[in-house]
Amino acid sequence: MPEYTVLTACAVVAVVVAELVYFKSGIFTTAQYWWSIVIVFAFQIPVDGWLTKLSNPIVIYDPEEMLGWRTPWDIPVEDFGFGFAMVTLAILLWRRWLDRRPSSQEAIDGDHDHDARRRSRLRRGRTSI
């Protein structure tokens, strides 16, 4: 099987498994996620189509490394899988980062707790803060 096809399939499977097993964010069940994929593909089709058009390609693929199936405007079908995996992983990492950031109230509470611990140490005679 061609290398680009295999790597694309591996990337798609890896991202889906990562979401279902590790991230567990539930993005595949949200309309927001699927609309973002539609928007990405809406921009990917004209740009990728212009770059890969067989009549005057800017990006040339080795035919031995892909299936050879091309969809609108001569776009290799593997490009859609690669785009899906890349955008999905970016969204998953972004959401994970946002979930780990403290909310503004938690940040205020955390600062307050730090000040309380500092005052407590000072009362006990500790000089290091």
Side-chain angles (χ1 to χ4, degrees):
M1 192 170 238
E3 184 177 349
Y4 186 37
T5 306
V6 171
L7 292 175
T8 299
C10 288
V12 169
V13 169
V15 167
V16 170
V17 168
E19 160 55 13
L20 298 176
V21 174
Y22 177 71
F23 290 103
K24 298 178 183 178
S25 70
I27 65 167
F28 293 148
T29 62
T30 66
Q32 183 181 24
Y33 167 76
W34 291 108
W35 276 111
S36 68
I37 293 297
V38 167
I39 292 167
V40 167
F41 284 166
F43 284 95
Q44 180 181 356
I45 289 170
V47 172
D48 205 353
W50 177 68
L51 292 171
T52 61
K53 63 186 177 288
L54 292 175
S55 61
N56 189 16
I58 295 170
V59 177
I60 301 171
Y61 292 92
D62 182 352
E64 299 296 317
E65 300 302 331
M66 53 187 268
L67 287 177
W69 299 345
R70 291 179 176 259
T71 54
W73 294 301
D74 301 324
I75 302 169
V77 72
E78 292 89 348
D79 284 6
F80 291 103
F82 175 77
F84 167 84
M86 182 177 61
V87 170
T88 301
L89 182 60
I91 292 170
L92 289 171
L93 293 171
W94 183 266
R95 288 181 61 127
R96 175 58 58 100
W97 180 75
L98 287 176
D99 290 346
R100 290 184 178 211
R101 275 188 11 196
S103 67
S104 47
Q105 185 59 47
E106 289 171 337
I108 291 168
D109 293 344
D111 288 345
H112 175 70
D113 291 343
H114 174 71
D115 291 340
R117 287 190 304 270
R118 180 177 173 211
R119 285 191 300 276
S120 174
R121 280 186 242 149
L122 288 171
R123 280 193 299 265
R124 290 181 290 188
R126 293 185 181 171
T127 56
S128 64
I129 298 177

